[in-house]
Amino acid sequence: MLAKFQHHIEQNFFQLKDKKLLLAVSGGVDSMVLLDLFYKLRFDICVVHCNFQLRGKESDADEMLVRETCQDRFIPYFIESFDTLKFSKENKLSIQLAARKLRYDWFQEIISLGFDYVLTAHHLDDNVETFLINFIRGTGLEGLTGIPAQNKKIVRPLLPFSREEIENYAQQNKIRWREDSSNASDKYFRNKLRHNIVPTLKELNTGFLDSYQNTINHLQQAESLVDDASKLVYEKVVEVNENQVEIHLNSLLQFKNYKAYLYQWLKEYGFSAWNDIYDLVEAQSGKQVFSETHVLLKDREKLILSERKSSNNSAVFIIESIESKVNIPLKLTFNKVVNIFETVSNCIFVDENKIKFPLTIRKWQEGDYFYPSGMNGKKKLSKYFKDEKYSLFDKENQWLLCSEDQIIWVIGKRADNRFRATETTQQIIKIEVI
């Protein structure tokens, strides 16, 4: 296996040469073999071990094995103990998710000390189990392509090797390892698959692991094609603005498989109610679908993706005087000037005698109205928003500059005639949003 492993590294992980590597070693057979292989190939390695304190003396014995092995071979190591149960309760996570978060957060801390990659001992059987878990729970194509061999700084060089190959190598080379007693229990979903389903699949097909690997290779190629097509259509259909992503439905619906494109573009934002998202395409304007971090809104002929923000419609910011510095919620400048220049969207000129400090910046409220510049008479702000084709997000994000609760400026959009400076105005204030 050593020669096969060396060839695998040279062909697929040549970037590891002459790099400082962190090996995640639990004390189990797979990670102890990983350590032995990289030690014999004379890589620059350091070991990291997590003691999650979940199995009492067993956890301590795992730690001792890793410590002794590193000391015997003069390999530097880091060992950290975690109160995993406490962390899982405080963060409302399962034990498995809590341990995973603690482990990888700590890895990131260690790698910042000057290391290049973290190597884990995931192998072919782990990949099969992950495939089956995703398949049973429901997933897209990416969930069926297996554990990635590399994910940024995390590298998994044992993925092509089966558990049987690893155990045979350990026995032949008299490598010490420890068995995690929890692996024998069918309490966990993964263990049920490992003990009951996977052996049956191997019995039905003696070449099951080879067949699985071939299938994964085909699926990964198919995923690459999907990614390429998704990027090409994205350029034709999607417009990215500063704070939101707009999907133009007239262009999207030219593609019969538009649902697949929506899935590809939106999966990274945490959505799960995919049928609700697909229904948005034909829904009335104003309908929304939420994930924990984002919201997808149907607005006329567009779907608009934006981050979820806590409601701040009641927030009011006070401007005490013309000398005040305004940086929140947006940056405004106030300057006395002599002449009126051409008004642009980010700048207005007002008559100082017509406004009264303190001014306020706030969001719109039901019943708000103003006297739009360039028009006769007043207009409800809700009607102005509708005429200007504001989306729900646009309305929520619009700030108003007010004097005694009368609107001076729909900031960045339209000034109010009542406060506008004219050629006869003696005291002119230029207000600009930067």
Side-chain angles (χ1 to χ4, degrees), residues 17 24 63 71 140 177 179 187 224 233 260 264 266 285-286 318 337 374 376 380 431:
K17 185 179 180 181
E63 176 184 325
Q71 290 173 348
W177 79 84
E179 292 288 350
K187 174 182 177 181
S224 178
V233 175
Q264 287 296 117
L266 299 174
S285 288
I318 308 298
V337 295
N376 294 321
K380 278 195 170 184
I431 307 175

Side-chain angles (χ1 to χ4, degrees), residues 27 51 70 81 282 425:
N51 185 340
C70 291
S81 294
E282 303 294 338
T425 301

Side-chain angles (χ1 to χ4, degrees), residues 393-407:
F393 296 145
D394 294 333
K395 296 177 188 177
E396 291 177 348
N397 292 328
Q398 181 64 63
W399 290 100
L400 308 175
L401 179 64
C402 302
S403 172
E404 295 187 316
D405 217 32
Q406 293 183 320
I407 297 172

Side-chain angles (χ1 to χ4, degrees), residues 79-316:
I79 292 177
E80 185 66 65
S81 294
F82 298 101
D83 190 341
T84 310
L85 286 174
K86 180 180 179 182
F87 182 83
S88 69
K89 291 178 181 177
E90 289 177 348
N91 293 274
K92 298 180 180 179
L93 296 171
S94 68
I95 295 296
Q96 291 85 357
L97 288 178
R100 176 182 174 82
K101 179 168 176 55
L102 287 168
R103 177 168 63 249
Y104 283 102
D105 285 353
W106 184 51
F107 288 171
Q108 291 304 315
E109 290 181 24
I110 301 300
I111 203 172
S112 67
L113 299 177
F115 295 93
D116 297 293
Y117 297 98
V118 176
L119 277 56
T120 69
H122 293 90
H123 50 72
L124 184 55
D125 289 74
D126 291 327
N127 217 351
V128 171
E129 293 160 9
T130 299
F131 172 92
L132 291 172
I133 289 171
N134 291 339
F135 175 75
I136 291 169
R137 291 176 174 172
T139 184
L141 182 58
E142 76 282 354
L144 300 176
T145 54
I147 303 170
Q150 182 171 350
N151 184 8
K152 297 181 180 179
K153 295 291 186 178
I154 307 296
V155 179
R156 304 174 179 91
L158 281 179
L159 278 180
F161 299 88
S162 68
R163 181 179 286 113
E164 183 179 6
E165 285 180 280
I166 292 169
E167 289 181 352
N168 287 340
Y169 177 85
Q171 292 167 358
Q172 292 166 5
N173 290 271
K174 296 181 172 54
I175 295 173
R176 296 167 59 203
W177 79 84
R178 287 186 50 79
E179 292 288 350
D180 185 338
S181 62
S182 66
N183 287 337
S185 170
D186 281 350
K187 174 182 177 181
Y188 302 109
F189 187 32
R190 182 178 289 271
N191 285 357
K192 289 182 180 179
L193 294 173
R194 180 178 301 168
H195 298 152
N196 303 307
I197 305 302
V198 175
T200 301
L201 294 173
K202 291 179 178 179
E203 182 181 342
L204 291 171
N205 178 5
T206 55
F208 169 71
L209 290 180
D210 290 335
S211 298
Y212 166 78
Q213 190 62 62
N214 288 333
T215 298
I216 289 297
N217 291 338
H218 291 312
L219 287 172
Q220 289 173 344
Q221 291 295 312
E223 185 180 32
S224 178
L225 291 174
V226 169
D227 288 341
D228 290 343
S230 177
K231 291 174 183 175
L232 289 173
V233 175
Y234 188 92
E235 293 176 358
K236 298 178 180 179
V237 171
V238 179
E239 181 180 352
V240 180
N241 296 318
E242 184 177 354
N243 297 314
Q244 60 190 31
V245 175
E246 298 181 358
I247 302 172
H248 296 274
L249 294 177
N250 288 335
S251 299
L252 176 66
L253 292 177
Q254 294 178 14
F255 300 91
K256 292 182 179 180
N257 51 347
Y258 69 87
K259 293 180 181 179
Y261 290 116
L262 286 175
Y263 178 83
Q264 287 296 117
W265 300 334
L266 299 174
K267 63 185 179 182
E268 65 184 277
Y269 298 103
F271 291 102
S272 58
W274 291 105
N275 287 333
D276 291 342
I277 287 177
Y278 303 146
D279 289 344
L280 275 186
V281 172
E282 303 294 338
Q284 294 180 345
S285 288
K287 293 288 185 180
Q288 302 175 77
V289 176
F290 297 90
S291 73
E292 289 189 5
T293 57
H294 286 76
V295 55
L296 188 65
L297 166 73
K298 171 66 179 295
D299 181 60
R300 301 175 181 85
E301 300 304 320
K302 295 184 292 187
L303 297 181
I304 303 176
L305 176 72
S306 180
E307 287 188 37
R308 293 183 69 171
K309 299 178 181 178
S310 57
S311 176
N312 57 357
N313 282 347
S314 60
V316 176

Side-chain angles (χ1 to χ4, degrees), residues 10 92 351:
E10 290 173 351
K92 298 180 180 179
D351 188 331

